[in-house]
Amino acid sequence: MNVFDGSEEEDNNPFSGTTHLYASGIAAVTDARDDYDFPEPALNFESNSDSNIEHSRTDVPNVIAEADERELDVEDDTLHSWKFATSELSRNSVFETSYMNLSHGEDAPEAIRIIDAGQYKDGYGKYAIGYKIEFGGIVVTRRYSEFDSLRQSLCRLLPTIIIPPIPSKHPIIKYIFNPLHVEKDIRTINRRQRLLARFLNNCHKVQEIRDHVVFQKFLNPEYFWKEVLSSPPISILPMNNLLAPPLNPTKPSPLHLLLPTPSTLTMHRRDELIAANDETEKKFVKYNSDLVKLKEILQPLHKTGRNIRTNIQNYSNVLSELGAYFNAYSLENSVFQVVSLIDQMNRLSMGIEKVGQSIDVSYVSTELLSEGIVFILEERTKEMLQFIHEAQRVLQFRNFKQEQYYTIEKTIKKRQLRIKQLKEADEQSIRLGEALKLNAEESPTVAQALESISQNSTKKQPTDPQFIDIIKSKIPSNGKSPSSSSSNELEPHLLTQDERASQVNKLERELEKLHECFRLIEKDLQQVNKSMQGSLNHLDEYFKETWHMILRDLCHHIVSWLKDCSQSWHSTKQAIDSI
């Protein structure tokens, strides 16, 4: 059964992250998430193949495609289509080009690009937003849900690797029959397009992901993604990665199936290693503490970035309105003219118009700065916060592997102690029997007493209620019924010699398996430590590069904003001084 199949949800709300009326969906859906705020990995996803795709692109991406596919099984002529002014499209294109070049860095070309996003109809007659991925000269179209199921698969296939985040899912709202703002829709789809391209490139930078067959199939148009999800290695993944090799969970050994599956963490193993001054454990403790500190820095920074962007947008709105007033006022002389002052009024009108133009330039530059803060500060800090969440998830997996180690180690010690007690009881019983036999030979009275005890013990059967009461008093209360108590719980001296011998033999066989499991979990932990150290080191490099990009690009945007405004107003001042 394909755990990723069975859901019809296509969750791209193209208005998320904007100030549009439908940003939170019709009827103001609560708990709308940020583009990098998504819940814990779910296991029910639908992923339709791209076979027989009719890629009916128009000049403008159709936002209907990202709604629930069950609502989109309609004819082509019922789909909404919009036409808007060329000036509006040009302005959006300029904005998007400027932001993307500055946010990605012109000196760092991306290995994988999403070259287009728009409506397409798959082989099942369903409409969705398709993202055209170009890599190595090959183009493949994938839906958002397929990106999502790719990431969930990678999390299960590579439990020791930090998987990059993707934009989050959003509630599906039936907004397709309401008028939409195409300008904002295009900008939002472009934003989703950029974030998904960043996800693919972040994956491509990680060797374990880049070389994995599932990631390679995702970029290959010859594979239908729905068939990939229902075939190996995804289809043979174990339900619990703790019962599989950490570096290859699709090939568990029989011993892996014998490992315990702890539901809670005691952290005893970590405490023991720290007390023993283990260098590896100290490194992982430092990793975790550094992640917590960085999270404490990024959370208020992300909030501050949103506040700054909101204030800049308010300032931009003021400039837009003010510029319109100045431009309108500059036309007053064409309505009310005094013949004797016509020359002065024309010069004054030109000065007022020049002020209005400078305000417009400031407005455009401020809009660029606002969007730049979104791309540089908000998106980057949110992405880093999500990376921290993923790193903590991976560290949690290591903690559970350590808990397995501790559980097996504790069980081995408990079995060894039980065997030792049983053997000591046997030795004591043999010595006592020999001593009594020796005394019986020297004293007829003692011999008669021993014979009487032997006869009484054979008459006392286990079914005797008095005998059962004695046995039950020796068994510790653990909430189980008397029938569930095994001979393993009885004190060694209450067992016969044959019972003790049988139990020792059974425990020794069990101990042999436990030692094999112990060696297996030791090997697993070594692999986990090595793999996670590499992944965490890669994450550390990512954080350093991202901080550098944030500071560089943010400074570039601020300097460009100041320069544009300064030049415009300097030119305006010269024009006014010449009046």
Side-chain angles (χ1 to χ4, degrees):
M1 179 180 179
N2 182 10
V3 295
F4 295 102
D5 197 12
S7 173
E8 291 288 340
E9 183 177 358
E10 187 71 18
D11 47 75
N12 301 332
N13 182 351
F15 299 98
S16 174
T18 71
T19 57
H20 193 272
L21 174 65
Y22 302 122
S24 299
I26 298 174
V29 176
T30 58
D31 298 330
R33 295 186 174 88
D34 191 279
D35 261 345
Y36 276 109
D37 252 348
F38 56 86
E40 292 302 314
L43 295 180
N44 291 323
F45 301 94
E46 183 198 18
S47 202
N48 291 334
S49 66
D50 292 323
S51 59
N52 302 324
I53 292 176
E54 293 184 23
H55 193 72
S56 54
R57 277 280 299 158
T58 59
D59 291 337
V60 183
N62 196 330
V63 296
I64 296 180
E66 295 206 6
D68 192 324
E69 291 178 345
R70 287 173 295 186
E71 301 296 331
L72 292 176
D73 194 8
V74 294
E75 297 297 330
D76 290 341
D77 55 3
T78 63
L79 295 174
H80 290 273
S81 60
W82 295 270
K83 293 183 180 179
F84 53 94
T86 305
S87 58
E88 292 293 323
L89 179 59
S90 301
R91 189 164 70 92
N92 284 331
S93 300
V94 171
F95 282 178
E96 290 297 334
T97 303
S98 301
Y99 305 151
M100 293 183 70
N101 288 340
L102 291 174
S103 63
H104 287 299
E106 295 179 358
D107 57 342
E110 301 293 329
I112 303 174
R113 297 188 305 132
I114 296 182
I115 58 176
D116 197 6
Q119 170 225 329
Y120 78 95
K121 184 169 70 172
D122 63 18
Y124 298 93
K126 295 181 179 180
Y127 290 91
I129 286 291
Y131 298 90
K132 294 180 68 175
I133 307 167
E134 182 185 47
F135 177 59
I138 299 175
V139 177
V140 57
T141 302
R142 299 295 187 194
R143 292 165 37 196
Y144 171 81
S145 63
E146 294 174 331
F147 280 87
D148 194 20
S149 58
L150 167 67
R151 189 183 180 281
Q152 304 306 324
S153 301
L154 292 175
C155 286
R156 298 180 62 201
L157 289 164
L158 303 170
T160 62
I161 302 299
I162 300 169
I163 308 299
I166 64 171
S168 62
K169 285 195 168 189
H170 299 284
I172 294 299
I173 301 298
K174 297 180 180 180
Y175 54 79
I176 61 174
F177 298 111
N178 292 272
L180 305 175
H181 291 183
V182 178
E183 174 192 346
K184 292 184 178 180
D185 173 62
I186 293 175
R187 185 176 296 183
T188 305
I189 291 177
N190 286 341
R191 183 186 185 205
R192 177 61 62 86
Q193 177 179 338
R194 184 180 63 259
L195 294 177
L196 291 175
R198 188 182 300 168
F199 161 71
L200 292 176
N201 282 282
N202 285 335
C203 288
H204 191 264
K205 293 175 183 177
V206 182
Q207 182 178 354
E208 291 85 352
I209 301 177
R210 181 174 65 247
D211 295 341
H212 204 282
V213 63
V214 170
F215 184 71
Q216 293 173 355
K217 287 181 178 179
F218 186 82
L219 300 176
N220 193 333
E222 295 181 1
Y223 291 94
F224 300 152
W225 186 245
K226 190 173 183 179
E227 295 179 2
V228 174
L229 292 176
S230 59
S231 61
I234 297 176
S235 63
I236 59 175
L237 277 168
M239 295 303 297
N240 192 338
N241 276 345
L242 293 175
L243 303 180
L247 302 187
N248 195 357
T250 59
K251 295 182 179 180
S253 65
L255 287 176
H256 275 102
L257 302 178
L258 300 178
L259 295 177
T261 53
S263 57
T264 57
L265 293 173
T266 62
M267 306 305 290
H268 291 318
R269 169 67 177 167
R270 189 196 68 174
D271 296 340
E272 290 175 357
L273 291 173
I274 293 176
N277 203 28
D278 184 82
E279 291 297 328
T280 302
E281 194 63 30
K282 288 167 66 176
K283 285 183 181 179
F284 279 100
V285 171
K286 187 176 184 305
Y287 281 135
N288 189 62
S289 63
D290 289 345
L291 290 173
V292 172
K293 291 178 182 177
L294 183 58
K295 186 176 182 179
E296 292 174 352
I297 295 172
L298 287 171
Q299 284 179 333
L301 179 61
H302 178 68
K303 183 178 179 180
T304 301
R306 286 191 299 180
N307 293 336
I308 292 173
R309 187 248 303 167
T310 301
N311 292 334
I312 292 177
Q313 286 178 341
N314 292 334
Y315 173 61
S316 175
N317 293 335
V318 172
L319 289 176
S320 176
E321 187 175 356
L322 184 61
Y325 284 134
F326 269 89
N327 292 329
Y329 186 56
S330 69
L331 302 176
E332 291 285 333
N333 67 319
S334 63
V335 179
F336 304 101
Q337 292 185 352
V338 179
V339 176
S340 60
L341 300 176
I342 187 66
D343 187 54
Q344 292 90 332
M345 291 185 68
N346 285 336
R347 289 199 298 269
L348 180 60
S349 177
M350 290 177 60
I352 296 173
E353 184 180 4
K354 192 67 176 177
V355 172
Q357 290 175 355
S358 294
I359 294 174
D360 288 341
V361 170
S362 298
Y363 160 71
V364 173
S365 297
T366 305
E367 281 286 297
L368 286 168
L369 178 62
S370 173
E371 293 298 328
I373 289 176
V374 171
F375 297 159
I376 297 170
L377 198 57
E378 284 192 58
E379 287 183 7
R380 291 292 187 180
T381 53
K382 193 62 184 180
E383 186 180 61
M384 286 195 288
L385 283 169
Q386 192 58 43
F387 263 113
I388 291 174
H389 173 78
E390 290 304 308
Q392 291 175 332
R393 178 188 62 82
V394 171
L395 289 172
Q396 189 80 337
F397 174 77
R398 180 179 180 271
N399 291 336
F400 275 107
K401 293 299 289 185
Q402 284 194 323
E403 193 66 27
Q404 282 184 316
Y405 181 99
Y406 176 77
T407 303
I408 294 174
E409 185 182 47
K410 184 173 64 174
T411 304
I412 288 175
K413 291 179 179 178
K414 184 178 179 181
R415 296 294 185 268
Q416 288 175 336
L417 179 61
R418 179 68 178 179
I419 291 174
K420 181 180 178 182
Q421 291 174 344
L422 290 169
K423 289 183 177 180
E424 287 178 351
D426 251 351
E427 293 174 357
Q428 291 175 359
S429 176
I430 292 172
R431 288 198 299 270
L432 179 61
E434 291 177 351
L436 291 176
K437 184 178 180 180
L438 180 62
N439 291 334
E441 292 175 354
E442 297 176 355
S443 173
T445 305
V446 174
Q448 292 176 2
L450 286 174
E451 184 178 355
S452 175
I453 291 173
S454 177
Q455 292 175 355
N456 290 334
S457 63
T458 56
K459 292 178 182 179
K460 189 73 69 176
Q461 299 297 328
T463 54
D464 193 331
Q466 184 180 358
F467 180 80
I468 293 176
D469 291 340
I470 295 174
I471 296 300
K472 287 173 65 178
S473 66
K474 298 296 182 179
I475 300 176
S477 177
N478 55 6
K480 297 181 180 180
S481 62
S483 61
S484 65
S485 300
S486 65
S487 60
N488 292 338
E489 298 172 346
L490 297 177
E491 292 295 331
H493 64 273
L494 295 178
L495 301 173
T496 65
Q497 185 175 1
D498 291 340
E499 288 174 337
R500 286 194 294 268
S502 175
Q503 193 173 130
V504 167
N505 187 38
K506 179 181 178 181
L507 289 174
E508 285 179 343
R509 291 197 305 269
E510 183 180 342
L511 196 59
E512 184 179 352
K513 285 292 182 185
L514 284 171
H515 280 297
E516 292 179 6
C517 291
F518 188 73
R519 288 191 292 270
L520 180 68
I521 196 65
E522 276 187 321
K523 180 182 177 182
D524 282 357
L525 272 176
Q526 290 174 359
Q527 294 177 346
V528 166
N529 290 340
K530 184 178 180 181
S531 178
M532 285 189 181
Q533 281 185 6
S535 187
L536 289 167
N537 289 337
H538 182 272
L539 181 64
D540 186 55
E541 292 297 321
Y542 159 80
F543 283 145
K544 291 178 181 178
E545 292 177 2
T546 303
W547 278 121
H548 175 75
M549 291 179 63
I550 288 176
L551 295 176
R552 181 195 66 187
D553 294 345
L554 192 60
C555 289
H556 182 89
H557 272 74
I558 293 174
V559 170
S560 297
W561 174 65
L562 293 172
K563 184 178 178 181
D564 292 343
C565 294
S566 176
Q567 289 177 348
S568 175
W569 285 106
H570 181 73
S571 175
T572 300
K573 184 177 182 301
Q574 290 179 341
I576 293 175
D577 291 342
S578 66
I579 297 176

